[in-house]
Amino acid sequence: HIASRRISGAEVLIRWNRPGHGLISPALFVPILEETGLIVRVGNWVLNEACRRISAWGKSSTGPVRLSVNVSGIQFFAGGLEEEVMRAIREHNIAPELLELELTESSLMSNAEDTIAVLRNLKSLGIQISIDDFGTGYSSLAYLKRFPIDKLKIDIAFVREVTSNPDDAAIVLAIINMAHSMKRDVVAEGVETEAQLSYLRRHGCDEMQGYYFSRPVPAGEFER
Protein backbone atom coordinates (compact mmCIF):
# COMPACT_ATOMS: atom_id res chain seq x y z
CA HIS A 1 0.00 0.00 0.00
CA ILE A 2 1.75 3.14 -1.25
CA ALA A 3 0.54 5.69 1.30
CA SER A 4 1.17 3.57 4.40
CA ARG A 5 4.01 1.41 3.00
CA ARG A 6 2.42 -1.61 4.65
CA ILE A 7 2.03 -5.01 2.95
CA SER A 8 -1.56 -5.18 1.74
CA GLY A 9 -1.43 -8.67 0.26
CA ALA A 10 0.36 -10.89 -2.21
CA GLU A 11 -0.18 -12.24 -5.70
CA VAL A 12 -0.09 -16.01 -6.03
CA LEU A 13 2.46 -17.11 -8.63
CA ILE A 14 3.10 -20.63 -9.89
CA ARG A 15 6.42 -22.24 -10.83
CA TRP A 16 7.08 -25.75 -12.08
CA ASN A 17 10.01 -27.39 -10.30
CA ARG A 18 10.80 -29.87 -13.07
CA PRO A 19 13.20 -32.68 -12.07
CA GLY A 20 16.57 -32.20 -13.73
CA HIS A 21 15.66 -28.74 -15.03
CA GLY A 22 14.91 -26.62 -11.96
CA LEU A 23 12.23 -23.94 -11.88
CA ILE A 24 10.34 -23.47 -15.16
CA SER A 25 8.69 -20.13 -15.90
CA PRO A 26 4.89 -20.07 -16.23
CA ALA A 27 5.40 -18.23 -19.53
CA LEU A 28 6.57 -21.58 -20.90
CA PHE A 29 4.06 -24.03 -19.42
CA VAL A 30 0.84 -22.05 -18.88
CA PRO A 31 0.15 -21.68 -22.65
CA ILE A 32 0.46 -25.47 -22.96
CA LEU A 33 -1.94 -25.95 -20.04
CA GLU A 34 -4.41 -23.66 -21.81
CA GLU A 35 -4.03 -25.45 -25.15
CA THR A 36 -4.71 -28.85 -23.58
CA GLY A 37 -7.46 -27.69 -21.21
CA LEU A 38 -5.41 -28.75 -18.17
CA ILE A 39 -5.46 -25.10 -17.04
CA VAL A 40 -8.86 -25.77 -15.41
CA ARG A 41 -7.50 -28.54 -13.15
CA VAL A 42 -4.32 -26.63 -12.35
CA GLY A 43 -6.25 -23.40 -11.80
CA ASN A 44 -8.62 -25.09 -9.38
CA TRP A 45 -5.66 -26.59 -7.53
CA VAL A 46 -4.04 -23.13 -7.24
CA LEU A 47 -7.31 -21.64 -5.98
CA ASN A 48 -7.63 -24.35 -3.33
CA GLU A 49 -3.99 -23.97 -2.27
CA ALA A 50 -4.43 -20.21 -1.94
CA CYS A 51 -7.47 -20.64 0.33
CA ARG A 52 -5.63 -23.29 2.35
CA ARG A 53 -2.72 -20.88 2.80
CA ILE A 54 -5.01 -18.00 3.80
CA SER A 55 -6.57 -20.26 6.42
CA ALA A 56 -3.21 -21.44 7.79
CA TRP A 57 -1.82 -17.91 8.03
CA GLY A 58 -5.02 -16.69 9.68
CA LYS A 59 -4.54 -19.25 12.46
CA SER A 60 -0.85 -18.40 12.95
CA SER A 61 1.13 -15.38 14.12
CA THR A 62 1.29 -14.23 10.47
CA GLY A 63 -2.36 -13.19 10.65
CA PRO A 64 -4.83 -12.37 7.85
CA VAL A 65 -3.24 -12.09 4.39
CA ARG A 66 -5.16 -11.19 1.23
CA LEU A 67 -4.08 -13.38 -1.68
CA SER A 68 -4.72 -12.56 -5.31
CA VAL A 69 -5.18 -15.44 -7.78
CA ASN A 70 -4.99 -15.18 -11.56
CA VAL A 71 -7.91 -16.83 -13.35
CA SER A 72 -7.69 -18.04 -16.94
CA GLY A 73 -10.53 -17.17 -19.31
CA ILE A 74 -10.94 -20.90 -19.98
CA GLN A 75 -11.23 -21.59 -16.26
CA PHE A 76 -13.70 -18.73 -15.87
CA PHE A 77 -16.12 -19.94 -18.54
CA ALA A 78 -15.56 -23.70 -18.77
CA GLY A 79 -14.32 -24.70 -15.34
CA GLY A 80 -17.23 -23.89 -13.07
CA LEU A 81 -15.21 -21.18 -11.33
CA GLU A 82 -18.08 -19.94 -9.17
CA GLU A 83 -18.68 -23.39 -7.67
CA GLU A 84 -14.94 -24.00 -7.16
CA VAL A 85 -14.53 -20.69 -5.33
CA MET A 86 -17.47 -21.39 -3.02
CA ARG A 87 -16.21 -24.91 -2.32
CA ALA A 88 -12.68 -23.74 -1.46
CA ILE A 89 -13.93 -20.93 0.80
CA ARG A 90 -16.24 -23.32 2.68
CA GLU A 91 -13.67 -26.11 2.93
CA HIS A 92 -10.99 -23.84 4.42
CA ASN A 93 -13.41 -21.58 6.28
CA ILE A 94 -11.82 -18.29 5.21
CA ALA A 95 -13.17 -14.75 5.06
CA PRO A 96 -14.12 -14.23 1.37
CA GLU A 97 -12.67 -10.70 1.34
CA LEU A 98 -9.18 -12.21 1.76
CA LEU A 99 -9.47 -13.79 -1.69
CA GLU A 100 -8.99 -11.67 -4.81
CA LEU A 101 -9.48 -12.94 -8.36
CA GLU A 102 -7.58 -11.38 -11.27
CA LEU A 103 -8.92 -11.56 -14.83
CA THR A 104 -7.50 -10.01 -17.99
CA GLU A 105 -9.41 -7.55 -20.14
CA SER A 106 -9.59 -10.02 -23.02
CA SER A 107 -11.14 -12.76 -20.88
CA LEU A 108 -13.67 -10.32 -19.43
CA MET A 109 -14.71 -9.03 -22.85
CA SER A 110 -14.91 -12.39 -24.64
CA ASN A 111 -18.39 -13.01 -23.24
CA ALA A 112 -19.26 -9.82 -21.43
CA GLU A 113 -22.88 -10.43 -20.42
CA ASP A 114 -22.16 -13.86 -18.92
CA THR A 115 -19.07 -12.40 -17.27
CA ILE A 116 -21.13 -9.72 -15.53
CA ALA A 117 -23.53 -12.33 -14.11
CA VAL A 118 -20.73 -14.53 -12.73
CA LEU A 119 -18.80 -11.57 -11.30
CA ARG A 120 -21.89 -10.28 -9.53
CA ASN A 121 -22.39 -13.67 -7.90
CA LEU A 122 -18.74 -13.75 -6.78
CA LYS A 123 -18.94 -10.18 -5.50
CA SER A 124 -22.07 -11.04 -3.52
CA LEU A 125 -19.91 -13.54 -1.60
CA GLY A 126 -17.52 -10.73 -0.66
CA ILE A 127 -14.69 -11.71 -3.03
CA GLN A 128 -12.48 -8.97 -4.50
CA ILE A 129 -12.22 -8.71 -8.31
CA SER A 130 -9.45 -6.99 -10.28
CA ILE A 131 -8.59 -6.50 -13.96
CA ASP A 132 -5.03 -7.61 -14.63
CA ASP A 133 -2.66 -6.04 -17.21
CA PHE A 134 -5.07 -3.15 -17.70
CA GLY A 135 -4.44 -1.04 -20.79
CA THR A 136 -3.04 -3.81 -23.00
CA GLY A 137 -6.30 -5.45 -24.06
CA TYR A 138 -9.48 -4.18 -25.61
CA SER A 139 -12.09 -3.14 -23.09
CA SER A 140 -15.28 -1.26 -23.77
CA LEU A 141 -15.74 1.61 -21.33
CA ALA A 142 -19.48 1.00 -21.53
CA TYR A 143 -18.92 -2.50 -20.15
CA LEU A 144 -16.16 -1.43 -17.78
CA LYS A 145 -18.61 0.62 -15.73
CA ARG A 146 -20.92 -2.43 -15.51
CA PHE A 147 -18.28 -4.91 -14.36
CA PRO A 148 -18.48 -5.22 -10.55
CA ILE A 149 -14.73 -4.85 -10.06
CA ASP A 150 -12.65 -3.42 -7.23
CA LYS A 151 -9.30 -2.71 -8.88
CA LEU A 152 -7.48 -1.97 -12.10
CA LYS A 153 -3.90 -3.24 -12.33
CA ILE A 154 -1.75 -1.09 -14.60
CA ASP A 155 0.35 -3.26 -16.90
CA ILE A 156 4.12 -3.27 -16.38
CA ALA A 157 4.60 -2.05 -19.98
CA PHE A 158 3.34 1.41 -18.94
CA VAL A 159 5.00 1.48 -15.50
CA ARG A 160 8.44 0.54 -16.85
CA GLU A 161 8.99 3.91 -18.57
CA VAL A 162 6.59 6.06 -16.59
CA THR A 163 9.40 8.47 -15.62
CA SER A 164 11.06 8.64 -19.04
CA ASN A 165 8.28 8.36 -21.62
CA PRO A 166 5.64 11.12 -21.55
CA ASP A 167 3.12 8.92 -23.37
CA ASP A 168 3.39 6.14 -20.76
CA ALA A 169 3.16 8.72 -17.97
CA ALA A 170 0.00 10.15 -19.54
CA ILE A 171 -1.58 6.69 -19.86
CA VAL A 172 -0.79 5.81 -16.22
CA LEU A 173 -2.22 9.12 -15.03
CA ALA A 174 -5.36 8.64 -17.16
CA ILE A 175 -5.93 5.13 -15.75
CA ILE A 176 -5.51 6.37 -12.15
CA ASN A 177 -7.92 9.26 -12.69
CA MET A 178 -10.49 7.14 -14.52
CA ALA A 179 -10.37 4.38 -11.90
CA HIS A 180 -10.73 6.77 -8.99
CA SER A 181 -13.62 8.58 -10.67
CA MET A 182 -15.34 5.17 -10.90
CA LYS A 183 -14.52 4.42 -7.22
CA ARG A 184 -11.98 1.72 -8.13
CA ASP A 185 -8.51 1.29 -6.63
CA VAL A 186 -5.38 1.17 -8.79
CA VAL A 187 -2.40 -1.17 -8.51
CA ALA A 188 0.82 -0.55 -10.46
CA GLU A 189 2.60 -3.71 -11.60
CA GLY A 190 6.34 -4.08 -12.12
CA VAL A 191 7.61 -1.19 -9.99
CA GLU A 192 11.39 -1.45 -9.86
CA THR A 193 12.75 2.00 -8.93
CA GLU A 194 12.26 4.74 -6.34
CA ALA A 195 11.56 7.20 -9.19
CA GLN A 196 8.65 5.07 -10.45
CA LEU A 197 7.25 4.77 -6.94
CA SER A 198 7.56 8.54 -6.37
CA TYR A 199 5.60 9.26 -9.55
CA LEU A 200 2.87 6.82 -8.55
CA ARG A 201 2.68 8.21 -5.01
CA ARG A 202 2.53 11.78 -6.32
CA HIS A 203 -0.43 10.92 -8.54
CA GLY A 204 -2.40 8.93 -5.96
CA CYS A 205 -1.88 5.33 -7.07
CA ASP A 206 -3.16 3.08 -4.27
CA GLU A 207 -0.92 0.01 -4.36
CA MET A 208 2.20 -1.27 -6.06
CA GLN A 209 3.96 -4.56 -6.61
CA GLY A 210 7.29 -5.35 -8.18
CA TYR A 211 10.98 -5.99 -7.65
CA TYR A 212 11.48 -2.63 -5.90
CA PHE A 213 9.57 -4.10 -2.96
CA SER A 214 10.23 -7.82 -3.39
CA ARG A 215 11.03 -10.43 -5.98
CA PRO A 216 8.76 -13.51 -5.95
CA VAL A 217 9.56 -15.59 -2.86
CA PRO A 218 8.44 -18.96 -1.46
CA ALA A 219 5.68 -18.92 1.16
CA GLY A 220 8.06 -19.47 4.09
CA GLU A 221 10.19 -16.47 3.12
CA PHE A 222 7.06 -14.34 2.65
CA GLU A 223 5.99 -15.22 6.21
CA ARG A 224 9.29 -13.97 7.63
Side-chain angles (χ1 to χ4, degrees):
H1 186 260
I2 291 177
S4 67
R5 292 204 171 214
R6 294 179 64 86
I7 296 174
S8 55
E11 179 175 351
V12 174
L13 302 174
I14 190 169
R15 300 288 185 270
W16 176 21
N17 194 3
R18 184 181 177 195
H21 293 80
L23 290 179
I24 309 296
S25 166
L28 295 176
F29 66 82
V30 167
I32 298 171
L33 293 176
E34 290 185 325
E35 285 174 25
T36 58
L38 285 170
I39 192 67
V40 174
R41 287 170 59 189
V42 173
N44 290 339
W45 176 82
V46 171
L47 181 64
N48 187 70
E49 280 294 297
C51 291
R52 185 181 67 81
R53 182 70 64 178
I54 291 170
S55 176
W57 278 335
K59 297 171 184 173
S60 73
S61 58
T62 304
V65 177
R66 174 168 49 83
L67 289 184
S68 182
V69 177
N70 293 280
V71 176
S72 159
I74 298 170
Q75 184 186 4
F76 188 81
F77 290 112
L81 177 67
E82 192 178 335
E83 292 76 14
E84 287 295 329
V85 168
M86 292 176 66
R87 185 192 59 76
I89 286 175
R90 280 198 302 265
E91 180 178 333
H92 299 288
N93 193 28
I94 65 166
E97 58 269 20
L98 293 178
L99 178 65
E100 181 176 313
L101 301 180
E102 294 188 21
L103 297 107
T104 62
E105 287 179 85
S106 55
S107 64
L108 285 169
M109 291 305 303
S110 63
N111 197 342
E113 291 298 335
D114 287 346
T115 298
I116 291 169
V118 174
L119 291 183
R120 282 179 176 162
N121 290 340
L122 291 170
K123 280 289 295 175
S124 69
L125 298 174
I127 291 161
Q128 302 273 297
I129 307 290
S130 64
I131 300 184
D132 197 17
D133 302 335
F134 189 77
T136 59
Y138 169 78
S139 62
S140 160
L141 295 182
Y143 273 112
L144 187 61
K145 70 178 183 179
R146 294 179 58 200
F147 289 136
I149 57 172
D150 301 283
K151 295 178 184 176
L152 301 182
K153 300 189 73 172
I154 305 174
D155 189 76
I156 186 175
F158 303 119
V159 176
R160 186 179 290 119
E161 297 185 18
V162 72
T163 58
S164 58
N165 185 318
D167 290 339
D168 286 340
I171 289 171
V172 168
L173 185 56
I175 293 173
I176 292 172
N177 289 336
M178 180 184 70
H180 285 169
S181 70
M182 299 172 69
K183 305 295 189 291
R184 268 72 159 170
D185 286 342
V186 187
V187 184
E189 299 182 294
V191 177
E192 297 186 355
T193 68
E194 177 67 40
Q196 292 168 341
L197 178 56
S198 295
Y199 181 90
L200 295 164
R201 182 186 294 114
R202 192 161 64 249
H203 292 288
C205 186
D206 301 290
E207 296 177 324
M208 57 78 77
Q209 63 184 83
Y211 286 6
Y212 178 77
F213 175 66
S214 174
R215 289 177 176 269
V217 293
E221 192 173 333
F222 177 76
E223 288 177 30
R224 290 192 292 275

